[in-house]
């Protein structure tokens, strides 16, 4: 008799077991990558990450990976849906349920609502490494996905039954690739662990997380569509890293001030998630976790801020960084000397919001990953245990926004017949793309612009944006003037907001609009209002040709065809990137000029643009101590001399904000920045809209409104100075060498945001053109193209580019 293991029955069973186990084998990240993600000195690039997720998708009934669009540089962006097999099999059903909660008007009765609340799933998003040098989360995402797909414990099962996770391995895949390529190239050299010598988003660099209401970037649009047209996540968690010498982890609740347009209940829910994360981290003995510090909830345009205006909970966490994927060492002395951050003045003293300071030591990518995994689990556990509560709160907030509210305008009207159709069309497109409801008027309407005044007639084809819609707070926050609270300490020092103080979108875009406090016979007119569902409706209303693509490029506005060169430093200038975006969106041709081009005098252009970088950065660039020779140094003295020759011989130099400093000093222009050396307590404007008065008789000022909103962000204000001493350099031309194009308003210059010491800039020069040799130097004291948002002042920049 054969022994059993030789029998055919054994072979059959063995074969079956082998087949089943192989078929179900869920690939570990290591089996696909050859290393364990987040181990020291390993890095997976975007191709490896998407490859891993594709393999996990193929093997696991709990994971479904979908492409959500292409990046700016054409890479696939992906989301991994992770949930129980039953939920993954019914994703569309759960998506529809949740979309109904987002707009309570689509739910027909209590029975339908109760059915959704009983059977719907918490929709949670976790997104990684939008800031690509904050690289660990993108690597961690593979470990998180594998763990959720394979763990068999009761808690994981409960999470998968009750929640649908939308895991976004990176919100900026191009940047993951850039960082991975640079890290691999520099591993083992003096540059190991440094930032790459280019923007890690093609246009925006770090500012890619400042685009969430403007939607200039392809990546922002892809995720906005996924979130606010399709899935409406109740909780959005965006995973970041902060500096090396910092708290080990910063979590919500956030710091002051809160934006008044965020529901108090959302702020409480944000805090609850933070405390759950903190408690779980503490239970694991992880030290150095801080809450109520550094990051506030004022600013609207961040990944985790935008959800607040969609009635969702937005979470940001910031782990201390290592040196990309190489370990860092932090000494107790470094921690002691650190000045901390707002709300966290010391990294060594225990405080209620920081009860367990970290003592210092080696800090590895894996430490970061462990914290991020623990925080993610904490979030998912909450979302799962309180599933019904999250769904109910989400619905209630949307529902409350539908009720009439006489403390805010009933609607905003965006006027038809404005001269800048391109800006109006783009503005309406931005609103509708993020789910704001907009109506087009097919009949004249009579409205009151204030509570007390008489009814006025509004022209046909204007657009109405009602405030009583689920996104009420989004409408208000985008249309209203921001009034940042006056936050100064006893010495008059301003408390720096985390980002800018004001952003009123139609104002930045120069789009005329009015508050509407009453509408005559609204019920009679309502049927004549046409809901805007596609951009060609908008374009037809504005007598613009139809467009086949969303966010279509604008026509080139230039009358001449100047050969434009733009300085592109290795130090990753976000302003340079945004300027390129504005040029590309307007189909304005240009070439980038490198440090080497400046030094070698390869400046064969009509116009050279210097984006907003300071004199020292432009002159010196990166130091040779950490960067290879190819990337070290700036334009240097040789570059300055070549730039002078370029202008002397008839070229035009256009300087944006900070770069004016270099031109004023090196060209000896009879202009000074009146804010230079002024203390913050005497003047402070961290990002606000200010009023400028434009001289329309100048070539640069033509076709621009006489009073125009301009963007000021720690910017400049000029005055004429004494002529330079004789022998002190070049002549500054003959006659009147400086022509003033625009000045800051004489009074009430602040339009939206916060400004201390306005008197210092009232009436001062905001834009000037100086003659130098046969050429010209244009000095913008403000940012005419700030983050690609300021359509109101784009024409000034375009005019300045003309030959
Ligand atoms: Zn970040």
């Amino acid at each position: 008799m054969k022994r059993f293991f030789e029998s055919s029955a054994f072979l059959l069973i063995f074969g079956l077991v082998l087949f089943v186990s192989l078929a179900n084998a869920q690939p570990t990240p290591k089996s696909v990558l050859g290393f364990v993600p987040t181990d020291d000195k390993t890095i997976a690039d975007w191709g490896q990450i998407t490859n891993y997720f594709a393999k996990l998708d193929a093997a696991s009934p709990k994971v479904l990976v979908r492409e959500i669009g292409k990046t700016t540089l054409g890479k696939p962006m992906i989301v991994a849906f992770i949930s129980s097999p039953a939920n993954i099999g019914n994703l569309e059903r759960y998506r529809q349920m949740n979309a109904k909660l987002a707009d309570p008007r689509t739910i027909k009765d209590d029975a339908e609502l109760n059915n959704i609340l009983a059977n719907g799933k918490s929709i949670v998003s976790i997104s990684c490494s939008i800031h690509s040098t904050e690289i660990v989360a993108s690597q961690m995402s593979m470990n998180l996905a594998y763990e959720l797909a394979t763990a068999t414990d009761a808690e994981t099962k409960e999470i998968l039954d009750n929640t649908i996770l939308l895991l976004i391995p990176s919100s900026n895949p191009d940047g993951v690739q850039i960082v991975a390529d640079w890290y691999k190239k520099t591993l083992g050299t003096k540059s190991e662990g440094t930032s790459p010598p280019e923007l890690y988003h093609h246009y925006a660099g770090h500012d890619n997380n400042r685009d969430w209401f403007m939607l200039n970037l392809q990546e922002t649009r892809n995720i906005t569509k996924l979130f606010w047209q399709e899935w409406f996540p109740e909780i959005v968690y965006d995973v970041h890293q902060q500096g090396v010498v910092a708290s080990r982890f910063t979590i919500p609740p956030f710091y002051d001030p809160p934006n008044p347009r965020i529901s108090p209940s959302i702020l409480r829910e944000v805090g609850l998630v933070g405390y759950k994360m903190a408690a779980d981290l503490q239970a694991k003995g992880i030290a150095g976790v801080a809450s109520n510090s550094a990051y506030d909830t004022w600013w609207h345009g961040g990944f985790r801020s935008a959800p607040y205006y969609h009635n969702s909970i937005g979470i940001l966490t910031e782990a201390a960084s290592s040196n990309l994927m190489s370990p860092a060492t932090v000494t107790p002395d470094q921690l002691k000397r650190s000045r901390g951050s707002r709300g966290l003045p010391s990294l060594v003293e225990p405080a209620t919001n920081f009860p367990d300071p970290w003592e210092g030591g080696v800090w590895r990518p894996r430490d970061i990953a462990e914290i991020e995994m623990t925080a993610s689990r904490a979030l998912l556990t909450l979302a799962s245990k309180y599933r019904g509560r999250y769904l109910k709160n989400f619905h209630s907030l949307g529902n409350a926004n539908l009720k009439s509210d006489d403390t805010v305008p009933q609607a905003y009207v965006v006027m038809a017949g404005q001269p800048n159709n391109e800006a109006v069309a783009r503005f309406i497109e931005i609103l509708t793309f993020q789910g704001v409801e907009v109506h087009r008027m097919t009949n004249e309407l009579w409205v009151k612009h204030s509570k007390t005044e008489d009814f006025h007639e509004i022209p046909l084809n204007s657009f109405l944006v009602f405030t009583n819609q689920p996104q009420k707070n989004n409408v208000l926050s985008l249309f209203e003037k921001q009034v940042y609270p006056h936050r100064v300490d006893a010495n008059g020092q301003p408390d720096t907001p985390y980002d800018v103080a004001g952003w009123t979108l139609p104002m930045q875009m120069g789009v005329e609009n009015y508050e509407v406090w009453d509408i005559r016979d609204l019920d009679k007119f309502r049927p004549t209002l046409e809901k805007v569902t596609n951009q060609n409706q908008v374009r037809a209303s504005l007598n613009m040709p139809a467009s086949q693509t969303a966010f279509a490029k604008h026509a080139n506005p230039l009358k001449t065809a100047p050969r434009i060169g733009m300085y592109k430093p290795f130090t990753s200038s976000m302003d340079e990137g945004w300027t390129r975006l504005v040029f590309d969106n307007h189909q304005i041709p240009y070439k980038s000029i490198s440090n080497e081009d400046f030094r070698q005098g390869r400046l064969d252009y009509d116009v050279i643009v210097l984006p907003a970088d300071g004199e020292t950065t432009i002159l010196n660039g990166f130091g040779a101590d950490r960067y290879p020779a190819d990337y070290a140094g700036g334009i240097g003295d040789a570059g300055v001399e070549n730039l002078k020759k370029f202008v002397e011989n008839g070229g035009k130099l256009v300087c944006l904000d900070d770069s004016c400093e270099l031109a004023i000093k090196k060209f000896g222009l009879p202009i000074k920045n009146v804010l230079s050396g002024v203390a913050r307590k005497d003047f402070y404007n961290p990002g606000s809209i200010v009023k400028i008065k434009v001289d329309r008789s100048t070539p640069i000022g033509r076709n621009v409104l006489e009073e125009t909103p301009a963007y000021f962000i720690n910017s400049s204000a000029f005055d004429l100075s004494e002529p330079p001493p004789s022998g002190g350099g070049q002549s500054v031309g003959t006659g009147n060498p400086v022509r003033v194009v625009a000045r800051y308003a004489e009074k009430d210059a602040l339009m939206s945001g916060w400004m201390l010491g306005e008197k210092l800039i009232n009436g001062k020069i905001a834009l000037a053109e100086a003659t130098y040799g046969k050429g010209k130097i244009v000095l913008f004291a403000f940012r005419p193209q700030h983050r690609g948002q300021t359509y109101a002042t784009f024409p000034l920049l375009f005019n300045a580019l003309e030959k």
Side-chain angles (χ1 to χ4, degrees):
M1 190 179 142
K2 282 196 261 183
R3 280 176 293 184
F4 176 70
F5 62 79
E6 289 172 4
S7 71
S8 53
F10 167 79
L11 287 175
L12 184 67
I13 292 166
F14 179 79
L16 268 175
V17 167
L18 187 70
F19 174 78
V20 168
S21 63
L22 277 179
N24 273 347
Q26 318 227 7
T28 62
K30 188 181 180 186
S31 71
V32 175
L33 301 167
F35 56 85
V36 177
T38 76
D39 272 3
D40 284 358
K41 307 203 178 197
T42 66
I43 196 162
D45 67 12
W46 188 244
Q48 290 171 293
I49 292 172
T50 50
N51 181 40
Y52 177 71
F53 274 95
K55 290 210 153 74
L56 191 61
D57 175 5
S60 173
K62 300 175 189 168
V63 179
L64 183 112
V65 177
R66 207 185 93 199
E67 183 178 320
I68 59 169
K70 297 287 192 235
T71 65
T72 302
L73 299 180
K75 292 198 179 301
M77 273 184 94
I78 59 166
V79 58
F81 294 91
I82 304 180
S83 194
S84 70
N87 295 345
I88 290 291
N90 282 295
L91 279 183
E92 179 54 20
R93 177 168 163 243
Y94 291 116
R95 187 196 68 73
Q96 285 177 15
M97 285 173 140
N98 207 56
K100 288 195 165 218
L101 292 179
D103 187 348
R105 293 168 298 184
T106 59
I107 297 176
K108 65 177 186 295
D109 55 23
D110 282 354
E112 187 179 15
L113 174 62
N114 290 334
N115 178 47
I116 295 174
L117 296 180
N119 298 305
K121 306 297 173 190
S122 300
I123 311 300
V124 178
S125 155
I126 299 179
S127 49
C128 305
S129 301
I130 184 171
H131 292 149
S132 312
T133 48
E134 302 162 19
I135 189 72
V136 174
S138 66
Q139 314 291 305
M140 179 279 300
S141 70
M142 294 178 276
N143 296 338
L144 178 63
Y146 177 74
E147 183 186 287
L148 290 170
T150 56
T152 52
D153 61 286
E155 188 188 82
T156 304
K157 187 172 180 310
E158 192 185 348
I159 289 173
L160 297 179
D161 285 342
N162 290 328
T163 69
I164 296 173
L165 170 62
L166 279 58
L167 177 61
I168 299 174
S170 175
S171 315
N172 180 18
D174 294 340
V176 168
Q177 192 63 45
I178 289 168
V179 167
D181 288 347
W182 175 250
Y183 184 72
K184 286 178 190 165
K185 181 176 160 185
T186 54
L187 199 59
T189 72
K190 65 182 176 184
S191 307
E192 178 178 329
T194 57
S195 296
E198 63 180 302
L199 289 170
Y200 56 59
H201 180 281
H202 181 69
Y203 288 123
H206 198 79
D207 267 359
N208 63 350
N209 197 23
R210 307 288 182 266
D211 188 47
W212 291 89
F213 59 73
M214 188 66 196
L215 314 180
N216 265 319
L217 309 177
Q218 196 54 53
E219 294 79 2
T220 327
R221 291 175 197 160
N222 292 339
I223 294 175
T224 295
K225 182 167 181 290
L226 177 75
F227 283 5
W228 312 121
Q229 294 181 21
E230 297 170 2
W231 277 93
F232 308 94
E234 276 84 25
I235 310 177
V236 170
Y237 171 24
D238 197 33
V239 188
H240 287 251
Q241 289 170 222
Q242 52 191 354
V244 178
V245 182
S247 70
R248 293 304 90 191
F249 202 45
T250 301
I251 50 163
F254 295 110
Y255 196 66
D256 288 325
N259 188 304
R261 289 300 170 205
I262 303 174
S263 154
S265 114
I266 285 191
L267 291 176
R268 289 302 193 193
E269 295 290 343
V270 167
L272 178 62
V273 174
Y275 277 122
K276 167 70 172 157
M277 289 176 170
D280 286 6
L281 289 161
Q282 198 63 54
K284 278 186 147 185
I286 292 172
V289 178
S291 61
N292 302 82
S293 61
Y295 309 92
D296 59 53
T297 51
W298 181 258
W299 161 239
H300 183 133
F303 196 123
R304 58 95 192 181
S305 325
Y308 304 144
Y309 304 92
H310 294 264
N311 309 316
S312 291
I313 298 164
I315 304 292
L316 160 100
T317 66
E318 301 264 357
S321 291
S322 45
N323 297 319
L324 295 182
M325 295 304 291
S326 300
T329 301
V330 183
T331 65
D333 191 49
Q334 281 177 303
L335 292 169
K336 200 170 163 195
R337 280 188 286 119
S338 166
R339 295 209 320 248
S341 56
R342 293 199 295 166
L344 187 69
S346 165
L347 293 179
V348 294
E349 291 294 326
T352 306
N353 64 336
F354 186 61
D356 187 13
W358 181 62
E359 61 187 11
V362 179
W363 187 248
R364 298 180 186 284
R366 192 181 295 167
D367 297 321
I368 299 168
E370 187 190 356
I371 286 185
E372 291 173 348
M373 289 274 279
T374 307
S376 298
R377 288 290 299 212
L379 171 68
L380 290 167
T381 308
L382 264 187
S384 150
K385 292 217 182 294
Y386 296 100
R387 180 201 62 81
R389 190 171 163 278
Y390 282 115
L391 299 190
K392 190 161 181 290
N393 284 353
F394 181 55
H395 173 264
S396 300
L397 284 167
N399 210 24
N401 289 342
L402 296 169
K403 303 217 161 65
S404 72
D405 175 358
D406 60 12
T407 66
V408 299
Q410 191 174 3
Y412 291 88
V413 61
V414 177
M415 307 294 284
Q418 303 186 38
N420 50 344
N421 278 339
E422 297 271 6
V424 175
R426 177 58 55 96
F427 176 62
I428 300 293
E429 183 166 40
I430 289 167
L431 293 180
T432 52
F433 197 88
Q434 61 194 287
V436 171
E437 210 170 76
V438 179
H439 289 90
R440 187 185 145 234
M441 288 164 36
T442 62
N443 251 309
E444 279 87 3
L445 211 56
W446 289 75
V447 307
K448 281 186 180 184
H449 291 320
S450 74
K451 280 181 179 169
T452 51
E453 73 176 356
D454 290 338
F455 283 101
H456 294 265
E457 194 178 0
I458 296 294
L460 197 67
N461 286 332
S462 295
F463 299 96
L464 266 183
V465 184
F466 288 101
T467 50
N468 63 337
Q469 57 173 305
Q471 285 192 46
K472 172 184 178 180
N473 292 318
N474 203 11
V475 172
L476 291 169
S477 175
L478 292 176
F479 276 87
E480 280 177 339
K481 161 186 175 174
Q482 275 77 49
V483 182
Y484 190 85
H486 184 71
R487 294 170 57 85
V488 294
D489 69 12
N491 301 317
Q493 281 296 336
D495 179 44
T496 318
Y498 183 65
D499 199 79
V500 300
W503 52 84
T504 313
L505 191 53
M507 204 184 272
Q508 286 199 74
M509 295 185 74
V511 170
E512 197 184 353
N513 70 98
Y514 295 101
E515 293 179 355
V516 172
W517 287 82
D518 198 3
I519 298 175
R520 185 188 284 175
D521 296 331
L522 175 59
D523 287 339
K524 209 170 92 191
F525 274 99
R526 205 182 279 279
T528 71
L529 291 171
E530 182 186 290
K531 189 173 167 187
V532 173
T533 56
N534 71 76
Q535 190 61 6
N536 281 336
Q537 260 172 301
V538 176
R539 296 175 75 92
S541 257
L542 299 171
N543 289 318
M544 294 169 72
S547 166
Q548 298 310 309
T549 55
F551 293 94
K553 286 193 184 340
H554 305 296
N556 182 337
L558 301 190
K559 310 273 179 293
T560 59
R563 294 168 303 154
I564 300 170
M566 183 156 49
Y567 175 49
K568 183 175 192 176
F570 290 119
T571 46
S572 330
S573 164
M574 292 185 279
D575 197 62
E576 182 266 340
W578 286 121
T579 313
R580 269 191 286 111
L581 176 115
V582 171
F583 288 2
D584 286 350
N585 279 352
H586 288 83
Q587 306 184 70
I588 298 173
Y590 62 90
K591 283 186 179 151
S592 294
I593 316 178
S594 69
N595 289 323
E596 188 63 13
D597 291 333
F598 271 100
R599 293 190 292 244
Q600 299 296 330
R602 294 190 292 255
L603 303 177
D604 193 18
Y605 300 98
D606 299 310
V607 183
I608 289 177
V609 179
L610 290 182
D613 285 294
E615 182 191 4
T616 315
T617 309
I618 296 174
L619 287 178
N620 303 333
F622 280 135
D625 52 335
R626 291 301 304 277
Y627 282 85
D630 286 355
Y631 304 108
I635 72 170
D637 292 340
V640 171
E641 288 311 309
N642 289 326
L643 189 57
K644 281 186 184 172
K645 276 185 219 147
F646 162 79
V647 183
E648 270 167 13
N649 294 331
K652 194 187 228 185
L653 175 62
V654 176
C655 299
L656 306 181
D657 200 348
D658 304 58
S659 68
C660 292
E661 181 192 9
L662 178 133
I664 291 170
K665 282 194 196 163
K666 297 293 180 187
F667 287 73
L669 302 180
I671 287 181
K672 64 177 181 209
N673 177 11
V674 301
L675 299 176
S676 177
V678 174
R680 277 189 170 182
K681 68 180 177 50
D682 298 320
F683 181 85
Y684 188 58
N685 181 344
S688 305
I689 304 170
V690 300
K691 192 190 296 171
I692 58 172
K693 296 217 169 180
V694 179
D695 179 350
R696 304 172 70 193
S697 70
T698 58
I700 295 178
R702 70 165 199 272
N703 296 330
V704 178
L705 291 178
E706 192 180 336
E707 286 194 349
T708 293
Y711 211 83
F712 192 108
I713 174 163
N714 299 309
S715 297
S716 318
F718 301 134
D719 211 345
L720 298 178
S721 66
E722 299 301 315
S726 57
Q730 296 287 337
S731 148
V732 293
T734 54
N736 183 7
V738 175
R739 185 162 193 190
V740 176
V741 180
R743 290 181 183 274
Y744 295 110
E746 291 283 350
K747 63 180 175 73
D748 302 329
L750 179 63
M751 298 178 79
S752 181
W754 191 34
M755 182 153 61
L756 293 181
E758 177 180 319
K759 279 197 312 290
L760 288 186
I761 70 162
N762 286 141
K764 293 291 186 284
I765 299 169
L767 172 56
E769 186 175 54
T771 305
Y772 186 89
K774 292 185 206 154
K776 295 239 175 356
I777 301 173
V778 180
L779 302 166
F780 281 90
F782 58 95
R783 302 276 180 100
Q785 69 338 350
H786 184 246
R787 294 176 179 170
Q789 298 176 6
T790 51
Y791 275 64
T793 49
F794 287 175
L796 290 169
L797 178 60
F798 299 152
N799 290 342
L801 297 172
E802 300 280 13
K803 275 202 257 194

